[in-house]
Amino acid sequence: MNLLELEQVEARHGLLVAVRGIDLRLGEGERLAIVGANGAGKTTLLRTIAGAHRAAAGRVVLDGTDITVVPAHRRAALGVALVPEGRRLFASMTIEENLRVAQSCGRTGPWDIDAVLEAFPQLKPRFKARAGSLSGGEQQATAIARALMANPRVLLLDEVSLGLSPLAVDRVYASLQSLLRTGTAVVLVEQDLQRAMDTTDRIVCMLEGRIVGEGRTGQITREQIMQTYFGHRPADALPERVGTAP
Ligand code: ATP
């Protein structure tokens, strides 16, 4: 059984249909990247999976249970964790307090304070510092650590590189590599194609709210993704989506 299944999911902002007819399957421990130009609908899709945005149509199914109308806090308790674009930490709270709040509404499992500090050692010396005083890289690491404290089965990461220095991005991704080895399923929205290809098993490309191509990393090229990304469809573009995902 798939861990996560989306069936014909649609999401709107008022009259604007931002996500349309999305069918997606995610296996246990699978790492999936979603790429696409600005405004393609990636953030809205992640938020709809997390329950932060209401689906206008379709179904979101977690481990066989329909969670389409389950609110975000209950999805977190069921194992769906979102690291939102822009981090959204409690700025006046310390790293420790941000982490403990997340722990209180999540699942039990291997991720606790010690484990996340092991994965993100750059947070250790800043543990008692307020989140608002942290660098962008430290804030991003805290946001991912906070999501992990809920011991998710599926971790949704929205543009973790955004606004970070190259060095900070390297550090965040180095930590991500260690958590990816733990078998948590990941859906990663990432503008940096090379990072996306290096980090995940499969890539889907969105354009104007739809999935317009997909492929397994290792079997597709950067050029194929870029062509699909911009809506071109030459002979060697990514395979067009027919029916449902594998
Ligand atoms: P980006 O990479 O710029 O974050 P994206 O692929 O994540 O883009 P979304 O942010 O999901 O795309 O936006 C999809 C569409 O929905 C865009 O046309 C965008 O302008 C619109 N949109 C997003 N958020 C809102 C909102 N809060 N209110 C109205 N329209 C919105």
Side-chain angles (χ1 to χ4, degrees):
M1 187 192 296
N2 290 300
L3 176 60
L4 181 72
E5 294 189 15
L6 272 58
E7 295 171 9
Q8 288 295 300
V9 168
E10 180 181 302
R12 298 168 179 244
H13 296 285
L15 292 177
L16 177 89
V17 183
V19 164
R20 49 185 82 218
I22 297 287
D23 286 317
L24 200 60
R25 310 270 183 275
L26 186 75
E28 198 90 49
E30 192 180 10
R31 298 162 302 180
L32 173 77
I34 301 177
V35 300
N38 287 344
K42 308 178 298 293
T43 292
T44 305
L45 180 61
L46 278 200
R47 288 173 49 80
T48 306
I49 296 172
H53 193 94
R54 190 176 63 84
R59 294 197 330 140
V60 180
V61 179
L62 180 72
D63 205 13
T65 303
D66 188 332
I67 59 165
T68 315
V69 297
V70 172
H73 69 277
R74 286 207 40 232
R75 290 191 206 195
L78 292 171
V80 181
L82 172 67
V83 179
E85 194 176 348
R87 278 87 78 171
R88 309 241 177 116
L89 297 170
F90 296 110
S92 63
M93 287 165 55
T94 65
I95 291 181
E96 179 180 12
E97 288 163 346
N98 270 279
L99 298 182
R100 292 205 187 280
V101 166
Q103 186 175 34
S104 64
C105 49
R107 298 166 2 113
T108 54
W111 291 106
D112 56 16
I113 297 266
D114 289 343
V116 297
L117 290 181
E118 206 54 48
F120 295 93
Q122 65 269 44
L123 297 183
K124 281 185 193 166
R126 308 287 278 137
F127 195 50
K128 301 286 184 188
R130 288 187 197 283
S133 72
L134 305 175
S135 70
E138 288 165 348
Q139 287 189 11
Q140 189 63 77
T142 306
I144 299 171
R146 178 180 62 178
L148 289 174
M149 291 293 289
N151 280 287
R153 302 180 71 189
V154 53
L155 181 64
L156 310 169
L157 295 161
D158 197 359
E159 308 233 10
V160 293
S161 312
L162 206 67
L164 302 188
S165 69
L167 187 64
V169 175
D170 283 347
R171 292 193 79 176
V172 167
Y173 267 89
S175 298
L176 271 182
Q177 293 296 351
S178 70
L179 86 89
L180 291 172
R181 285 195 286 272
T182 64
T184 307
V186 168
V187 182
L188 175 77
V189 167
E190 176 54 81
Q191 295 281 2
D192 183 334
L193 269 187
Q194 199 55 54
R195 297 259 181 210
M197 294 180 80
D198 291 345
T199 311
T200 59
D201 310 305
R202 187 156 60 96
I203 295 193
V204 300
C205 188
M206 286 184 73
L207 182 71
E208 296 172 358
R210 298 183 190 282
I211 292 178
V212 290
E214 68 179 294
R216 299 221 147 257
T217 50
Q219 296 175 1
I220 52 174
T221 63
R222 231 180 118 78
E223 289 65 37
Q224 284 178 306
I225 298 169
M226 287 310 289
Q227 286 158 351
T228 312
Y229 198 99
F230 291 115
H232 303 308
R233 187 149 287 289
D236 64 344
L238 282 190
E240 200 161 357
R241 176 59 89 71
V242 179
T244 54

